[in-house]
Tab-separated table of all heavy atoms in Angstrom:
chain	number	residue	atom	x	y	z
A	193	GLU	N	11.581	-39.824	-25.799
A	193	GLU	CA	11.699	-38.764	-24.822
A	193	GLU	C	12.097	-39.342	-23.475
A	193	GLU	O	11.815	-40.482	-23.176
A	193	GLU	CB	10.366	-38.023	-24.681
A	193	GLU	CG	9.994	-37.241	-25.915
A	193	GLU	CD	8.670	-36.524	-25.729
A	193	GLU	OE1	8.273	-36.273	-24.583
A	193	GLU	OE2	8.048	-36.226	-26.744
A	194	ASN	N	12.677	-38.508	-22.671
A	194	ASN	CA	13.136	-38.948	-21.367
A	194	ASN	C	12.348	-38.233	-20.269
A	194	ASN	O	12.916	-37.583	-19.404
A	194	ASN	CB	14.634	-38.677	-21.233
A	194	ASN	CG	15.258	-39.523	-20.152
A	194	ASN	OD1	14.610	-40.407	-19.615
A	194	ASN	ND2	16.494	-39.248	-19.837
A	195	ARG	N	11.033	-38.362	-20.333
A	195	ARG	CA	10.183	-37.698	-19.346
A	195	ARG	C	9.694	-38.702	-18.313
A	195	ARG	O	9.606	-39.897	-18.593
A	195	ARG	CB	9.009	-37.006	-20.019
A	195	ARG	CG	8.079	-37.977	-20.694
A	195	ARG	CD	6.945	-37.282	-21.395
A	195	ARG	NE	6.128	-38.317	-22.013
A	195	ARG	CZ	4.852	-38.217	-22.223
A	195	ARG	NH1	4.220	-37.130	-21.916
A	195	ARG	NH2	4.182	-39.193	-22.779
A	196	PRO	N	9.350	-38.214	-17.129
A	196	PRO	CA	8.847	-39.136	-16.108
A	196	PRO	C	7.495	-39.730	-16.505
A	196	PRO	O	6.706	-39.090	-17.192
A	196	PRO	CB	8.706	-38.275	-14.856
A	196	PRO	CG	8.962	-36.869	-15.270
A	196	PRO	CD	9.455	-36.863	-16.673
A	197	GLU	N	7.256	-40.951	-16.083
A	197	GLU	CA	6.007	-41.644	-16.381
A	197	GLU	C	4.859	-41.014	-15.595
A	197	GLU	O	5.038	-40.589	-14.462
A	197	GLU	CB	6.141	-43.126	-16.005
A	197	GLU	CG	4.917	-43.960	-16.276
A	197	GLU	CD	4.606	-44.130	-17.743
A	197	GLU	OE1	5.230	-44.971	-18.385
A	197	GLU	OE2	3.716	-43.414	-18.244
A	198	THR	N	3.696	-40.959	-16.220
A	198	THR	CA	2.476	-40.488	-15.566
A	198	THR	C	1.622	-41.706	-15.250
A	198	THR	O	1.477	-42.597	-16.077
A	198	THR	CB	1.698	-39.531	-16.496
A	198	THR	OG1	2.541	-38.432	-16.824
A	198	THR	CG2	0.435	-39.031	-15.834
A	199	TYR	N	1.059	-41.732	-14.043
A	199	TYR	CA	0.220	-42.844	-13.603
A	199	TYR	C	-1.192	-42.345	-13.337
A	199	TYR	O	-1.368	-41.231	-12.851
A	199	TYR	CB	0.798	-43.491	-12.344
A	199	TYR	CG	2.161	-44.080	-12.567
A	199	TYR	CD1	3.308	-43.329	-12.353
A	199	TYR	CD2	2.302	-45.381	-13.018
A	199	TYR	CE1	4.563	-43.866	-12.568
A	199	TYR	CE2	3.557	-45.926	-13.239
A	199	TYR	CZ	4.681	-45.159	-13.013
A	199	TYR	OH	5.921	-45.697	-13.233
A	200	VAL	N	-2.174	-43.171	-13.665
A	200	VAL	CA	-3.569	-42.782	-13.481
A	200	VAL	C	-4.315	-43.822	-12.654
A	200	VAL	O	-3.906	-44.976	-12.571
A	200	VAL	CB	-4.279	-42.578	-14.841
A	200	VAL	CG1	-3.648	-41.442	-15.625
A	200	VAL	CG2	-4.280	-43.849	-15.664
A	201	THR	N	-5.420	-43.402	-12.069
A	201	THR	CA	-6.284	-44.300	-11.311
A	201	THR	C	-7.166	-45.088	-12.277
A	201	THR	O	-7.228	-44.779	-13.473
A	201	THR	CB	-7.188	-43.508	-10.356
A	201	THR	OG1	-8.067	-42.690	-11.150
A	201	THR	CG2	-6.387	-42.639	-9.397
A	202	LEU	N	-7.873	-46.080	-11.763
A	202	LEU	CA	-8.787	-46.842	-12.603
A	202	LEU	C	-9.874	-45.941	-13.181
A	202	LEU	O	-10.242	-46.067	-14.351
A	202	LEU	CB	-9.427	-47.991	-11.813
A	202	LEU	CG	-8.703	-49.319	-11.859
A	202	LEU	CD1	-7.363	-49.260	-11.184
A	202	LEU	CD2	-9.555	-50.399	-11.274
A	203	LYS	N	-10.369	-45.028	-12.392
A	203	LYS	CA	-11.412	-44.106	-12.847
A	203	LYS	C	-10.885	-43.222	-13.983
A	203	LYS	O	-11.562	-43.019	-14.991
A	203	LYS	CB	-11.888	-43.248	-11.674
A	203	LYS	CG	-13.037	-42.347	-12.008
A	203	LYS	CD	-13.516	-41.595	-10.779
A	203	LYS	CE	-14.662	-40.678	-11.102
A	203	LYS	NZ	-15.120	-39.932	-9.932
A	204	GLU	N	-9.669	-42.710	-13.815
A	204	GLU	CA	-9.071	-41.880	-14.860
A	204	GLU	C	-8.791	-42.697	-16.114
A	204	GLU	O	-8.982	-42.216	-17.234
A	204	GLU	CB	-7.777	-41.240	-14.347
A	204	GLU	CG	-7.999	-40.217	-13.261
A	204	GLU	CD	-6.727	-39.814	-12.542
A	204	GLU	OE1	-5.768	-40.622	-12.466
A	204	GLU	OE2	-6.689	-38.682	-12.033
A	205	ALA	N	-8.359	-43.947	-15.926
A	205	ALA	CA	-8.094	-44.832	-17.068
A	205	ALA	C	-9.378	-45.109	-17.841
A	205	ALA	O	-9.383	-45.112	-19.077
A	205	ALA	CB	-7.467	-46.136	-16.593
A	206	ALA	N	-10.466	-45.325	-17.118
A	206	ALA	CA	-11.759	-45.579	-17.761
A	206	ALA	C	-12.178	-44.387	-18.614
A	206	ALA	O	-12.628	-44.547	-19.752
A	206	ALA	CB	-12.818	-45.890	-16.710
A	207	LYS	N	-11.994	-43.203	-18.086
A	207	LYS	CA	-12.349	-41.990	-18.829
A	207	LYS	C	-11.448	-41.841	-20.062
A	207	LYS	O	-11.915	-41.514	-21.151
A	207	LYS	CB	-12.215	-40.766	-17.916
A	207	LYS	CG	-12.686	-39.494	-18.535
A	207	LYS	CD	-12.664	-38.350	-17.540
A	207	LYS	CE	-13.173	-37.084	-18.184
A	207	LYS	NZ	-13.186	-35.958	-17.256
A	208	TYR	N	-10.157	-42.100	-19.895
A	208	TYR	CA	-9.181	-41.987	-20.980
A	208	TYR	C	-9.496	-42.964	-22.105
A	208	TYR	O	-9.397	-42.627	-23.283
A	208	TYR	CB	-7.791	-42.242	-20.416
A	208	TYR	CG	-6.648	-41.960	-21.369
A	208	TYR	CD1	-6.196	-40.667	-21.567
A	208	TYR	CD2	-5.998	-42.999	-22.046
A	208	TYR	CE1	-5.139	-40.401	-22.420
A	208	TYR	CE2	-4.948	-42.753	-22.893
A	208	TYR	CZ	-4.517	-41.444	-23.080
A	208	TYR	OH	-3.468	-41.192	-23.923
A	209	LEU	N	-9.890	-44.187	-21.727
A	209	LEU	CA	-10.189	-45.228	-22.718
A	209	LEU	C	-11.633	-45.195	-23.196
A	209	LEU	O	-12.011	-45.958	-24.091
A	209	LEU	CB	-9.895	-46.613	-22.119
A	209	LEU	CG	-8.441	-46.903	-21.778
A	209	LEU	CD1	-8.324	-48.215	-21.020
A	209	LEU	CD2	-7.581	-46.934	-23.034
A	210	ARG	N	-12.441	-44.355	-22.560
A	210	ARG	CA	-13.869	-44.220	-22.897
A	210	ARG	C	-14.630	-45.527	-22.704
A	210	ARG	O	-15.422	-45.945	-23.560
A	210	ARG	CB	-14.058	-43.679	-24.302
A	210	ARG	CG	-13.494	-42.295	-24.477
A	210	ARG	CD	-13.700	-41.777	-25.857
A	210	ARG	NE	-13.086	-40.464	-25.980
A	210	ARG	CZ	-13.022	-39.791	-27.107
A	210	ARG	NH1	-13.530	-40.289	-28.208
A	210	ARG	NH2	-12.449	-38.613	-27.144
A	211	VAL	N	-14.346	-46.164	-21.561
A	211	VAL	CA	-15.049	-47.388	-21.179
A	211	VAL	C	-15.451	-47.246	-19.713
A	211	VAL	O	-15.094	-46.274	-19.058
A	211	VAL	CB	-14.172	-48.656	-21.368
A	211	VAL	CG1	-13.830	-48.859	-22.834
A	211	VAL	CG2	-12.917	-48.591	-20.522
A	212	SER	N	-16.186	-48.218	-19.197
A	212	SER	CA	-16.609	-48.151	-17.803
A	212	SER	C	-15.477	-48.565	-16.860
A	212	SER	O	-14.520	-49.241	-17.258
A	212	SER	CB	-17.815	-49.057	-17.563
A	212	SER	OG	-17.413	-50.414	-17.599
A	213	TYR	N	-15.619	-48.186	-15.623
A	213	TYR	CA	-14.690	-48.576	-14.563
A	213	TYR	C	-14.582	-50.092	-14.486
A	213	TYR	O	-13.494	-50.647	-14.367
A	213	TYR	CB	-15.188	-47.982	-13.238
A	213	TYR	CG	-14.385	-48.394	-12.029
A	213	TYR	CD1	-13.331	-47.611	-11.585
A	213	TYR	CD2	-14.700	-49.550	-11.316
A	213	TYR	CE1	-12.590	-47.970	-10.474
A	213	TYR	CE2	-13.974	-49.922	-10.201
A	213	TYR	CZ	-12.912	-49.124	-9.787
A	213	TYR	OH	-12.184	-49.490	-8.694
A	214	ARG	N	-15.738	-50.774	-14.572
A	214	ARG	CA	-15.765	-52.244	-14.500
A	214	ARG	C	-14.987	-52.884	-15.652
A	214	ARG	O	-14.360	-53.912	-15.484
A	214	ARG	CB	-17.210	-52.771	-14.514
A	214	ARG	CG	-18.022	-52.424	-13.307
A	214	ARG	CD	-17.714	-53.251	-12.092
A	214	ARG	NE	-17.815	-54.680	-12.347
A	214	ARG	CZ	-17.126	-55.592	-11.693
A	214	ARG	NH1	-16.293	-55.262	-10.752
A	214	ARG	NH2	-17.271	-56.864	-11.980
A	215	THR	N	-15.050	-52.274	-16.830
A	215	THR	CA	-14.309	-52.805	-17.974
A	215	THR	C	-12.815	-52.721	-17.718
A	215	THR	O	-12.080	-53.691	-17.945
A	215	THR	CB	-14.675	-52.046	-19.263
A	215	THR	OG1	-16.071	-52.235	-19.523
A	215	THR	CG2	-13.868	-52.540	-20.457
A	216	VAL	N	-12.332	-51.601	-17.205
A	216	VAL	CA	-10.912	-51.465	-16.875
A	216	VAL	C	-10.530	-52.487	-15.812
A	216	VAL	O	-9.509	-53.166	-15.925
A	216	VAL	CB	-10.574	-50.031	-16.401
A	216	VAL	CG1	-9.129	-49.950	-15.909
A	216	VAL	CG2	-10.810	-49.024	-17.506
A	217	TYR	N	-11.358	-52.636	-14.798
A	217	TYR	CA	-11.106	-53.601	-13.730
A	217	TYR	C	-11.014	-55.021	-14.296
A	217	TYR	O	-10.120	-55.786	-13.943
A	217	TYR	CB	-12.207	-53.506	-12.675
A	217	TYR	CG	-11.957	-54.382	-11.484
A	217	TYR	CD1	-11.135	-53.948	-10.439
A	217	TYR	CD2	-12.526	-55.645	-11.396
A	217	TYR	CE1	-10.885	-54.760	-9.350
A	217	TYR	CE2	-12.284	-56.462	-10.303
A	217	TYR	CZ	-11.465	-56.015	-9.279
A	217	TYR	OH	-11.210	-56.821	-8.200
A	218	ARG	N	-11.905	-55.352	-15.212
A	218	ARG	CA	-11.909	-56.688	-15.829
A	218	ARG	C	-10.630	-56.904	-16.636
A	218	ARG	O	-10.005	-57.966	-16.560
A	218	ARG	CB	-13.147	-56.865	-16.710
A	218	ARG	CG	-13.270	-58.269	-17.287
A	218	ARG	CD	-14.559	-58.488	-18.060
A	218	ARG	NE	-14.597	-57.681	-19.271
A	218	ARG	CZ	-15.455	-56.678	-19.484
A	218	ARG	NH1	-16.366	-56.360	-18.590
A	218	ARG	NH2	-15.430	-56.003	-20.612
A	219	TRP	N	-10.201	-55.887	-17.414
A	219	TRP	CA	-8.981	-56.004	-18.195
A	219	TRP	C	-7.763	-56.188	-17.294
A	219	TRP	O	-6.851	-56.932	-17.635
A	219	TRP	CB	-8.806	-54.792	-19.088
A	219	TRP	CG	-9.774	-54.758	-20.248
A	219	TRP	CD1	-10.472	-55.805	-20.773
A	219	TRP	CD2	-10.140	-53.622	-21.018
A	219	TRP	NE1	-11.252	-55.380	-21.824
A	219	TRP	CE2	-11.069	-54.051	-22.006
A	219	TRP	CE3	-9.781	-52.282	-20.996
A	219	TRP	CZ2	-11.624	-53.191	-22.935
A	219	TRP	CZ3	-10.337	-51.417	-21.934
A	219	TRP	CH2	-11.248	-51.874	-22.889
A	220	LEU	N	-7.758	-55.519	-16.137
A	220	LEU	CA	-6.661	-55.704	-15.182
A	220	LEU	C	-6.658	-57.142	-14.671
A	220	LEU	O	-5.605	-57.782	-14.588
A	220	LEU	CB	-6.787	-54.732	-14.012
A	220	LEU	CG	-6.609	-53.242	-14.316
A	220	LEU	CD1	-6.843	-52.422	-13.060
A	220	LEU	CD2	-5.248	-52.957	-14.898
A	221	SER	N	-7.839	-57.648	-14.330
A	221	SER	CA	-7.971	-59.019	-13.825
A	221	SER	C	-7.538	-60.052	-14.863
A	221	SER	O	-7.004	-61.102	-14.516
A	221	SER	CB	-9.416	-59.302	-13.414
A	221	SER	OG	-9.803	-58.437	-12.380
A	222	GLN	N	-7.776	-59.746	-16.129
A	222	GLN	CA	-7.411	-60.652	-17.221
A	222	GLN	C	-5.945	-60.526	-17.623
A	222	GLN	O	-5.467	-61.281	-18.456
A	222	GLN	CB	-8.287	-60.370	-18.453
A	222	GLN	CG	-9.740	-60.680	-18.265
A	222	GLN	CD	-10.602	-60.171	-19.420
A	222	GLN	OE1	-10.183	-59.324	-20.223
A	222	GLN	NE2	-11.821	-60.676	-19.494
A	223	GLY	N	-5.254	-59.545	-17.059
A	223	GLY	CA	-3.852	-59.334	-17.394
A	223	GLY	C	-3.636	-58.583	-18.692
A	223	GLY	O	-2.538	-58.567	-19.239
A	224	ARG	N	-4.672	-57.944	-19.196
A	224	ARG	CA	-4.558	-57.211	-20.462
A	224	ARG	C	-3.910	-55.845	-20.289
A	224	ARG	O	-3.420	-55.272	-21.268
A	224	ARG	CB	-5.937	-57.052	-21.101
A	224	ARG	CG	-6.528	-58.397	-21.525
A	224	ARG	CD	-7.884	-58.245	-22.138
A	224	ARG	NE	-7.780	-57.563	-23.427
A	224	ARG	CZ	-8.825	-57.169	-24.135
A	224	ARG	NH1	-10.047	-57.412	-23.701
A	224	ARG	NH2	-8.665	-56.546	-25.276
A	225	LEU	N	-3.915	-55.322	-19.056
A	225	LEU	CA	-3.280	-54.046	-18.749
A	225	LEU	C	-2.305	-54.235	-17.591
A	225	LEU	O	-2.617	-54.916	-16.620
A	225	LEU	CB	-4.324	-52.996	-18.337
A	225	LEU	CG	-5.149	-52.362	-19.432
A	225	LEU	CD1	-6.285	-51.549	-18.830
A	225	LEU	CD2	-4.285	-51.482	-20.320
A	226	ARG	N	-1.138	-53.609	-17.703
A	226	ARG	CA	-0.134	-53.660	-16.649
A	226	ARG	C	-0.458	-52.572	-15.621
A	226	ARG	O	-0.845	-51.470	-15.973
A	226	ARG	CB	1.240	-53.407	-17.269
A	226	ARG	CG	2.415	-53.596	-16.352
A	226	ARG	CD	3.723	-53.468	-17.123
A	226	ARG	NE	3.843	-52.235	-17.872
A	226	ARG	CZ	4.366	-51.108	-17.386
A	226	ARG	NH1	4.797	-51.050	-16.146
A	226	ARG	NH2	4.447	-50.031	-18.134
A	227	PHE	N	-0.306	-52.902	-14.341
A	227	PHE	CA	-0.615	-51.945	-13.282
A	227	PHE	C	0.233	-52.246	-12.062
A	227	PHE	O	0.981	-53.226	-12.035
A	227	PHE	CB	-2.099	-52.030	-12.903
A	227	PHE	CG	-2.468	-53.321	-12.215
A	227	PHE	CD1	-2.555	-53.384	-10.833
A	227	PHE	CD2	-2.717	-54.465	-12.943
A	227	PHE	CE1	-2.886	-54.564	-10.195
A	227	PHE	CE2	-3.052	-55.655	-12.315
A	227	PHE	CZ	-3.131	-55.709	-10.933
A	228	PHE	N	0.159	-51.382	-11.065
A	228	PHE	CA	0.810	-51.669	-9.799
A	228	PHE	C	-0.030	-51.129	-8.662
A	228	PHE	O	-0.875	-50.255	-8.851
A	228	PHE	CB	2.240	-51.116	-9.753
A	228	PHE	CG	2.321	-49.623	-9.587
A	228	PHE	CD1	2.485	-49.060	-8.333
A	228	PHE	CD2	2.251	-48.783	-10.678
A	228	PHE	CE1	2.556	-47.685	-8.174
A	228	PHE	CE2	2.334	-47.413	-10.535
A	228	PHE	CZ	2.492	-46.862	-9.276
A	229	ARG	N	0.187	-51.683	-7.498
A	229	ARG	CA	-0.532	-51.247	-6.293
A	229	ARG	C	0.298	-50.173	-5.602
A	229	ARG	O	1.476	-50.378	-5.332
A	229	ARG	CB	-0.736	-52.426	-5.347
A	229	ARG	CG	-1.508	-53.560	-5.969
A	229	ARG	CD	-2.898	-53.658	-5.396
A	229	ARG	NE	-3.566	-54.836	-5.940
A	229	ARG	CZ	-4.683	-54.768	-6.633
A	229	ARG	NH1	-5.251	-53.621	-6.850
A	229	ARG	NH2	-5.242	-55.856	-7.095
A	230	ALA	N	-0.316	-49.056	-5.323
A	230	ALA	CA	0.377	-47.933	-4.686
A	230	ALA	C	-0.093	-47.777	-3.250
A	230	ALA	O	-0.273	-46.670	-2.758
A	230	ALA	CB	0.140	-46.658	-5.482
A	231	GLY	N	-0.323	-48.879	-2.596
A	231	GLY	CA	-0.807	-48.837	-1.221
A	231	GLY	C	-2.109	-49.600	-1.106
A	231	GLY	O	-2.601	-50.176	-2.072
A	232	ALA	N	-2.658	-49.576	0.087
A	232	ALA	CA	-3.897	-50.314	0.359
A	232	ALA	C	-5.047	-49.797	-0.513
A	232	ALA	O	-5.487	-48.668	-0.368
A	232	ALA	CB	-4.255	-50.209	1.828
A	233	GLY	N	-5.504	-50.631	-1.423
A	233	GLY	CA	-6.651	-50.288	-2.260
A	233	GLY	C	-6.387	-49.216	-3.295
A	233	GLY	O	-7.316	-48.642	-3.842
A	234	SER	N	-5.132	-48.936	-3.583
A	234	SER	CA	-4.796	-47.890	-4.546
A	234	SER	C	-4.040	-48.500	-5.721
A	234	SER	O	-2.890	-48.905	-5.586
A	234	SER	CB	-3.948	-46.819	-3.861
A	234	SER	OG	-3.647	-45.782	-4.755
A	235	THR	N	-4.697	-48.566	-6.872
A	235	THR	CA	-4.114	-49.144	-8.079
A	235	THR	C	-3.789	-48.035	-9.058
A	235	THR	O	-4.579	-47.118	-9.252
A	235	THR	CB	-5.105	-50.133	-8.724
A	235	THR	OG1	-5.416	-51.146	-7.772
A	235	THR	CG2	-4.527	-50.772	-9.964
A	236	ARG	N	-2.625	-48.121	-9.678
A	236	ARG	CA	-2.210	-47.125	-10.662
A	236	ARG	C	-1.804	-47.820	-11.955
A	236	ARG	O	-1.213	-48.895	-11.943
A	236	ARG	CB	-1.031	-46.295	-10.150
A	236	ARG	CG	-1.353	-45.474	-8.912
A	236	ARG	CD	-2.261	-44.306	-9.265
A	236	ARG	NE	-2.505	-43.454	-8.131
A	236	ARG	CZ	-3.537	-43.541	-7.320
A	236	ARG	NH1	-4.437	-44.489	-7.511
A	236	ARG	NH2	-3.701	-42.709	-6.331
A	237	ILE	N	-2.112	-47.158	-13.070
A	237	ILE	CA	-1.787	-47.678	-14.392
A	237	ILE	C	-0.935	-46.635	-15.106
A	237	ILE	O	-1.310	-45.462	-15.157
A	237	ILE	CB	-3.068	-47.943	-15.209
A	237	ILE	CG1	-4.012	-48.872	-14.439
A	237	ILE	CG2	-2.730	-48.518	-16.578
A	237	ILE	CD1	-5.402	-48.955	-15.031
A	238	PRO	N	0.210	-47.041	-15.674
A	238	PRO	CA	1.017	-46.085	-16.428
A	238	PRO	C	0.254	-45.599	-17.658
A	238	PRO	O	-0.365	-46.392	-18.373
A	238	PRO	CB	2.248	-46.885	-16.850
A	238	PRO	CG	2.250	-48.103	-15.996
A	238	PRO	CD	0.829	-48.362	-15.613
A	239	LEU	N	0.289	-44.294	-17.907
A	239	LEU	CA	-0.394	-43.729	-19.068
A	239	LEU	C	0.163	-44.327	-20.361
A	239	LEU	O	-0.575	-44.572	-21.314
A	239	LEU	CB	-0.249	-42.207	-19.076
A	239	LEU	CG	-1.170	-41.429	-19.987
A	239	LEU	CD1	-2.628	-41.756	-19.737
A	239	LEU	CD2	-0.929	-39.938	-19.826
A	240	SER	N	1.450	-44.610	-20.382
A	240	SER	CA	2.059	-45.226	-21.571
A	240	SER	C	1.447	-46.604	-21.834
A	240	SER	O	1.332	-47.034	-22.984
A	240	SER	CB	3.571	-45.343	-21.402
A	240	SER	OG	3.889	-46.167	-20.299
A	241	GLU	N	1.035	-47.305	-20.773
A	241	GLU	CA	0.391	-48.613	-20.921
A	241	GLU	C	-0.970	-48.458	-21.615
A	241	GLU	O	-1.352	-49.276	-22.446
A	241	GLU	CB	0.222	-49.273	-19.556
A	241	GLU	CG	-0.417	-50.629	-19.588
A	241	GLU	CD	0.445	-51.728	-20.189
A	241	GLU	OE1	1.650	-51.521	-20.409
A	241	GLU	OE2	-0.099	-52.816	-20.453
A	242	LEU	N	-1.692	-47.398	-21.281
A	242	LEU	CA	-2.991	-47.149	-21.918
A	242	LEU	C	-2.812	-46.827	-23.396
A	242	LEU	O	-3.571	-47.314	-24.240
A	242	LEU	CB	-3.723	-46.010	-21.207
A	242	LEU	CG	-4.060	-46.254	-19.739
A	242	LEU	CD1	-4.787	-45.053	-19.164
A	242	LEU	CD2	-4.875	-47.516	-19.548
A	243	ASP	N	-1.800	-46.008	-23.711
A	243	ASP	CA	-1.534	-45.683	-25.116
A	243	ASP	C	-1.151	-46.942	-25.898
A	243	ASP	O	-1.600	-47.140	-27.030
A	243	ASP	CB	-0.424	-44.636	-25.220
A	243	ASP	CG	-0.872	-43.276	-24.711
A	243	ASP	OD1	-2.094	-42.982	-24.741
A	243	ASP	OD2	-0.004	-42.500	-24.271
A	244	LYS	N	-0.344	-47.795	-25.294
A	244	LYS	CA	0.061	-49.056	-25.921
A	244	LYS	C	-1.159	-49.952	-26.136
A	244	LYS	O	-1.327	-50.558	-27.198
A	244	LYS	CB	1.086	-49.746	-25.030
A	244	LYS	CG	1.577	-51.065	-25.528
A	244	LYS	CD	2.576	-51.648	-24.540
A	244	LYS	CE	2.778	-53.127	-24.786
A	244	LYS	NZ	3.581	-53.760	-23.755
A	245	PHE	N	-2.030	-50.023	-25.130
A	245	PHE	CA	-3.243	-50.831	-25.212
A	245	PHE	C	-4.129	-50.350	-26.359
A	245	PHE	O	-4.651	-51.155	-27.139
A	245	PHE	CB	-3.998	-50.753	-23.886
A	245	PHE	CG	-5.232	-51.606	-23.838
A	245	PHE	CD1	-5.148	-52.964	-23.569
A	245	PHE	CD2	-6.482	-51.057	-24.062
A	245	PHE	CE1	-6.290	-53.759	-23.520
A	245	PHE	CE2	-7.623	-51.832	-24.027
A	245	PHE	CZ	-7.529	-53.191	-23.754
A	246	ILE	N	-4.289	-49.040	-26.483
A	246	ILE	CA	-5.100	-48.470	-27.570
A	246	ILE	C	-4.497	-48.848	-28.921
A	246	ILE	O	-5.209	-49.296	-29.822
A	246	ILE	CB	-5.214	-46.943	-27.429
A	246	ILE	CG1	-6.074	-46.587	-26.214
A	246	ILE	CG2	-5.794	-46.323	-28.699
A	246	ILE	CD1	-6.027	-45.115	-25.837
A	247	ALA	N	-3.188	-48.678	-29.059
A	247	ALA	CA	-2.522	-48.975	-30.329
A	247	ALA	C	-2.676	-50.445	-30.713
A	247	ALA	O	-2.888	-50.773	-31.885
A	247	ALA	CB	-1.052	-48.605	-30.241
A	248	GLU	N	-2.575	-51.333	-29.730
A	248	GLU	CA	-2.658	-52.772	-30.004
A	248	GLU	C	-4.083	-53.254	-30.241
A	248	GLU	O	-4.280	-54.308	-30.837
A	248	GLU	CB	-2.050	-53.563	-28.845
A	248	GLU	CG	-0.559	-53.395	-28.727
A	248	GLU	CD	0.024	-54.062	-27.494
A	248	GLU	OE1	-0.761	-54.527	-26.624
A	248	GLU	OE2	1.253	-54.114	-27.396
A	249	ASN	N	-5.072	-52.504	-29.779
A	249	ASN	CA	-6.454	-52.974	-29.855
A	249	ASN	C	-7.336	-52.131	-30.765
A	249	ASN	O	-8.553	-52.256	-30.732
A	249	ASN	CB	-7.054	-53.036	-28.444
A	249	ASN	CG	-6.403	-54.122	-27.633
A	249	ASN	OD1	-6.680	-55.289	-27.814
A	249	ASN	ND2	-5.501	-53.733	-26.756
A	250	THR	N	-6.718	-51.293	-31.560
A	250	THR	CA	-7.468	-50.482	-32.511
A	250	THR	C	-7.238	-51.043	-33.902
A	250	THR	O	-6.114	-51.234	-34.325
A	250	THR	CB	-6.993	-49.017	-32.466
A	250	THR	OG1	-7.160	-48.526	-31.146
A	250	THR	CG2	-7.806	-48.159	-33.407
A	251	ASN	N	-8.322	-51.301	-34.608
A	251	ASN	CA	-8.223	-51.824	-35.956
A	251	ASN	C	-8.055	-50.663	-36.912
A	251	ASN	O	-8.997	-49.939	-37.206
A	251	ASN	CB	-9.481	-52.631	-36.291
A	251	ASN	CG	-9.361	-53.305	-37.636
A	251	ASN	OD1	-8.344	-53.216	-38.313
A	251	ASN	ND2	-10.408	-54.002	-38.029
A	252	GLU	N	-6.838	-50.487	-37.400
A	252	GLU	CA	-6.571	-49.382	-38.306
A	252	GLU	C	-6.246	-49.861	-39.711
A	252	GLU	O	-5.462	-49.251	-40.420
A	252	GLU	CB	-5.419	-48.534	-37.756
A	252	GLU	CG	-5.775	-47.838	-36.458
A	252	GLU	CD	-4.701	-46.883	-35.986
A	252	GLU	OE1	-3.815	-46.546	-36.800
A	252	GLU	OE2	-4.752	-46.486	-34.842
A	253	THR	N	-6.833	-50.974	-40.097
A	253	THR	CA	-6.587	-51.468	-41.442
A	253	THR	C	-7.344	-50.613	-42.435
A	253	THR	O	-8.480	-50.219	-42.192
A	253	THR	CB	-7.008	-52.942	-41.594
A	253	THR	OG1	-8.387	-53.066	-41.251
A	253	THR	CG2	-6.168	-53.839	-40.707
A	254	LYS	N	-6.721	-50.338	-43.540
A	254	LYS	CA	-7.355	-49.494	-44.558
A	254	LYS	C	-8.068	-50.379	-45.567
A	254	LYS	O	-7.630	-51.478	-45.900
A	254	LYS	CB	-6.287	-48.651	-45.256
A	254	LYS	CG	-5.653	-47.662	-44.309
A	254	LYS	CD	-4.671	-46.806	-45.053
A	254	LYS	CE	-4.052	-45.820	-44.081
A	254	LYS	NZ	-3.135	-44.907	-44.730
A	255	LYS	N	-9.179	-49.861	-46.059
A	255	LYS	CA	-9.923	-50.582	-47.086
A	255	LYS	C	-9.137	-50.601	-48.387
A	255	LYS	O	-8.534	-49.612	-48.779
A	255	LYS	CB	-11.270	-49.884	-47.344
A	255	LYS	CG	-12.252	-50.040	-46.237
A	255	LYS	CD	-13.561	-49.395	-46.660
A	255	LYS	CE	-14.608	-49.542	-45.582
A	255	LYS	NZ	-15.871	-48.907	-45.987
A	256	GLU	N	-9.168	-51.754	-49.029
A	256	GLU	CA	-8.544	-51.842	-50.335
A	256	GLU	C	-9.574	-51.465	-51.382
A	256	GLU	O	-10.691	-51.924	-51.355
A	256	GLU	CB	-8.035	-53.262	-50.587
A	256	GLU	CG	-6.909	-53.662	-49.647
A	256	GLU	CD	-6.410	-55.056	-49.956
A	256	GLU	OE1	-6.557	-55.515	-51.107
A	256	GLU	OE2	-5.860	-55.683	-49.043
A	257	GLU	N	-9.177	-50.595	-52.266
A	257	GLU	CA	-10.137	-50.148	-53.280
A	257	GLU	C	-9.839	-50.760	-54.616
A	257	GLU	O	-8.799	-51.089	-54.965
A	257	GLU	CB	-10.072	-48.626	-53.395
A	257	GLU	CG	-10.548	-48.000	-52.103
A	257	GLU	CD	-10.556	-46.471	-52.190
A	257	GLU	OE1	-10.727	-45.950	-53.308
A	257	GLU	OE2	-10.416	-45.840	-51.177
C-alpha cells in the first residue's frame, strides 16, 4: 500500500506492544527498535516498525504431531 506512515510515542508503543514504557525505552537504547527524535524530548516510532518487531520476535512455530 502507498499510505503515509503513522508514528507513535513511547507510551503508545508500550500499549501497542503490551509492555511497560521502560521496556520500550530499553529496546530503543539497545537498538532493537528504530525511532527518531521529533524535537526536544519527543521520540517517535513508526507503527510499521512495531509490526515488524512483533513479527520478528513472535514464536509462531507449529507443533509437529
Side-chain angles (χ1 to χ4, degrees):
E193 292 180 23
N194 200 8
R195 64 182 180 151
E197 181 67 80
T198 301
Y199 298 91
V200 297
T201 64
L202 269 66
K203 185 176 180 181
E204 292 167 332
K207 186 174 181 179
Y208 189 81
L209 295 172
R210 297 181 182 175
V211 296
S212 72
Y213 175 93
R214 293 283 306 152
T215 298
V216 173
Y217 185 84
R218 185 175 67 246
W219 288 340
L220 293 177
S221 298
Q222 294 170 343
R224 294 179 68 187
L225 283 170
R226 187 174 54 90
F227 68 98
F228 74 95
R229 301 252 185 240
S234 182
T235 302
R236 297 288 184 266
I237 305 168
L239 195 54
S240 61
E241 181 70 11
L242 298 180
D243 291 334
K244 179 181 163 188
F245 183 81
I246 291 169
E248 291 174 351
N249 292 284
T250 302
N251 185 2
E252 294 186 15
T253 57
K254 294 183 180 183
K255 289 184 179 179
E256 294 182 25
E257 294 182 28

